[in-house]
Amino acid sequence: MALRPPRLPPLPALRDFINIYQLKAKKQLSQNYLMDMNLSRKLVKSAGHLEGATVLEVGPGPGGITRAILERNCRRLDVVEIDDRFLPALELLAEASVGRMSVHNEDVMKFDVGKLWEEAGVPKSEWIESAPNLHIIGNLPFNISTPLIIRYLRAMADRTGPWSFGRVPLTLTFQKEVGERIVAPIAHPQRSRLSIMSQFVAEPKLLFIIPGNCFVPAPEVDVAVVKFLPRDEPLIRAPFELVEKVCRHLFHYRRKFSFKAALTLYPTDLAEELTHEMYRRCRISPQTLCTRLGMEEVRDMCYLYEEQCRRIPGLFLFDYRKPKSLDELAAATGALPRHYRFSMKQLPPDGVTLKQFDKEAI
Ligand SMILES: C[S@@+](CC[C@H](N)C(=O)[O-])C[C@H]1O[C@@H](n2cnc3c(N)ncnc32)[C@H](O)[C@@H]1O
C-alpha cells in the first residue's frame, strides 16, 4: 500500500515568510521567487517519482519548491543556499520535515554532492537502464545556470560526484532561450555548443515554460523547465573537455562555414592541412554551417581531433588567443587528452570512415 505523504505541520504562507524574514530579492544573486505553489508542485512532479527518494535542491531561497519536494514524501532532502538571510526560514522547514531535510549554507558551484551522499551512506546503483531514486532539482539562479550545467554534465560524462551513484536525473530551470538552446536539434536557429554538450551526455527535454510574471520580482524573460536524463552511453565516447574544446571552436562563427571556425583549433602553419584532414576523413563538406552539424558529424570530428592530438603532442593545449609553440606545450601537464574510460575505442586507419568505424565498434 502506498504511503500517504506526511503532511507538513501548518506553516506561514510563502508570501508571509518573505515578509516575516524580510527576504527582499537580491539582483546580484538572480533571486526571482516562484510564489505560485501550484507551479512549484508541477515542477517537482515533473522531476519524477519522489516517494522515498534522496533529493538535492539547488538555491531553495524562501522554500516554495522545498515545500513541494517535502510534500512528495522524499526520504532525504538537502538544500544548498548561498544567501544566509534564508537560513531561519529554511530551518523552520527543516524542523517541520521531521529530520528529513538539511540546510547547507554554501555556494553550489563548490558544493560536493558526491561527498555528501557518500558520507550519508546513500546506496549506489549500477549505471544501468533505470534511474536510481536520486534527484537534483532547482530553480536555478540565471547567473550560474550555464556554468553549473556544464559542471554537472562533465561529472555526468565522467560518472563522478552525484553520478557515481548512478544515472541521476536533473530537473532545472533556465532562461527560456537557454533552455531552447539545450534541446535544439540540428538546423534549429538556437543550435549551439550547449546543444551538443547537453545532448551527447544526456537526453534533455524541455518540459514546460513558466511565464516570467509568475516570479517575484518578475524577470524580463520566461523560464524553461528542463529535465536531463543521463544517457546509458554518451553519443561521443571521448573526454568531456575534448568535446567541449571542439564544440567551442566549431560554434565560434555561427554564420560562416564551420571550416573557418575549425581552423582556429590549430597553429597557423598547420591549420589548413589539419582542418582539411578533419573534413576529408569525416566526410563533411567544408561549407557546412555549425548549426547544420549533426551529432554524428561532431562525434567524428572529436575522434579525429583526438587522434591528431595524440599524434602531435601539445596540440591539445593549443589556444589561438595565446599561442605558444607546440614544443613548449608538449612539455606541459595535460599535453595529451585523457583516455576515455568507459569503452574501448581504437581509431580507424586513414581511409576508413569514422562513422562506419564507430557503428561497427558499437
Ligand atoms: C531564482 S532563485 C529561486 C528561489 C526559490 N527556489 C524559488 O523557486 O522561489 C535562486 C536562488 O538561488 C540562490 N543562489 C544564487 N547563487 C547561488 C549559489 N552560487 N549557490 C547556492 N545558491 C545560490 C539565490 O540566493 C536564490 O535563493
Side-chain angles (χ1 to χ4, degrees):
M1 201 176 71
L3 287 175
R4 275 178 67 79
R7 295 191 77 82
L8 289 174
L11 288 162
L14 202 54
R15 201 167 289 280
D16 296 335
F17 245 43
I18 289 171
N19 292 334
I20 296 167
Y21 294 108
Q22 302 193 347
L23 302 174
K24 193 168 182 305
K26 281 188 187 165
K27 207 171 176 188
Q28 70 274 26
L29 290 179
S30 293
Q31 289 175 342
N32 306 100
Y33 309 142
L34 190 51
M35 300 302 295
D36 181 339
M37 275 309 291
N38 288 332
L39 282 171
S40 294
R41 289 189 182 107
K42 181 173 175 187
L43 187 153
V44 169
K45 193 166 176 212
S46 70
H49 186 72
L50 295 195
E51 171 118 13
T54 295
V55 184
L56 182 101
E57 188 195 352
V58 179
I65 292 175
T66 320
R67 292 179 188 214
I69 297 171
L70 289 170
E71 283 172 2
R72 292 182 66 83
N73 206 13
C74 66
R75 190 178 66 83
R76 179 190 171 102
L77 168 64
D78 291 275
V79 302
V80 185
E81 172 56 62
I82 201 169
D83 185 349
D84 52 20
R85 293 177 312 144
F86 292 113
L87 297 187
L90 291 170
E91 289 301 347
L92 199 66
L93 283 182
E95 244 172 69
S97 79
V98 212
R100 290 182 294 151
M101 171 180 159
S102 308
V103 183
H104 307 269
N105 182 204
E106 290 188 46
D107 179 350
V108 73
M109 292 302 290
K110 299 184 189 138
F111 189 76
D112 190 340
V113 187
K115 186 163 166 243
L116 172 80
W117 286 351
E118 199 85 56
E119 286 171 0
V122 171
K124 295 194 171 188
S125 314
E126 290 295 318
W127 193 264
I128 46 167
E129 275 305 308
S130 57
N133 205 6
L134 300 166
H135 294 264
I136 299 180
I137 300 177
N139 174 18
L140 287 185
F142 289 157
N143 58 344
I144 62 160
S145 61
T146 305
L148 185 67
I149 192 60
I150 291 289
R151 182 168 185 255
Y152 280 174
L153 289 167
R154 179 191 300 268
M156 210 182 266
D158 287 348
R159 302 182 199 173
T160 56
W163 290 280
S164 63
F165 288 78
R167 291 168 61 197
V168 179
L170 283 171
T171 308
L172 303 172
T173 58
F174 296 88
Q175 288 184 42
K176 180 169 170 257
E177 200 183 297
V178 177
E180 286 169 353
R181 254 187 257 154
I182 288 170
V183 299
I186 183 169
H188 190 279
Q190 299 280 29
R191 181 83 160 175
S192 69
R193 174 181 77 106
L194 204 50
S195 327
I196 306 282
M197 300 309 297
S198 305
Q199 294 168 29
F200 97 88
V201 189
E203 285 175 89
K205 288 202 168 67
L206 197 161
L207 300 179
F208 60 98
I209 300 287
I210 307 179
N213 61 15
C214 295
F215 295 85
V216 176
E220 280 162 18
V221 290
D222 293 341
V223 170
V225 177
V226 183
K227 182 167 177 182
F228 297 76
L229 196 59
R231 285 187 188 275
D232 182 14
E233 176 82 30
L235 297 178
I236 305 176
R237 291 173 293 151
F240 187 86
E241 56 279 12
L242 184 137
V243 182
E244 192 182 20
K245 183 176 183 191
V246 171
C247 291
R248 195 168 59 239
H249 285 260
L250 289 178
F251 285 89
H252 197 66
Y253 307 119
R254 294 183 65 77
R255 288 175 212 289
K256 294 185 188 162
F257 297 149
S258 59
F259 186 91
K260 189 158 169 53
L263 287 167
T264 61
L265 280 165
Y266 308 104
T268 324
D269 53 336
L270 297 174
E272 282 287 334
E273 180 195 333
L274 294 178
T275 312
H276 273 295
E277 183 196 13
M278 178 181 273
Y279 278 72
R280 187 186 72 249
R281 287 187 58 199
C282 296
R283 304 208 169 171
I284 298 170
S285 159
Q287 275 118 41
T288 314
L289 292 176
C290 58
T291 50
R292 301 238 159 213
L293 289 168
M295 186 61 82
E296 290 193 351
E297 285 159 326
V298 176
R299 176 198 64 191
D300 292 351
M301 293 164 116
C302 290
Y303 291 172
L304 202 285
Y305 180 66
E306 185 178 357
E307 183 197 297
Q308 291 173 330
C309 289
R310 297 204 186 283
R311 202 169 72 214
I312 309 167
L315 179 61
F316 184 51
L317 294 182
F318 175 76
D319 179 350
Y320 75 99
R321 286 162 307 184
K322 27 187 169 154
K324 288 187 181 165
S325 80
L326 290 180
D327 285 344
E328 197 182 338
L329 293 170
T333 28
L336 291 177
R338 282 186 298 151
H339 281 283
Y340 180 68
R341 285 171 47 200
F342 300 107
S343 60
M344 297 301 289
K345 178 169 63 65
Q346 294 162 318
L347 290 158
D350 204 348
V352 174
T353 73
L354 289 146
K355 252 181 216 167
Q356 262 175 359
F357 176 79
D358 198 74
K359 268 191 205 123
E360 281 160 22
I362 288 168

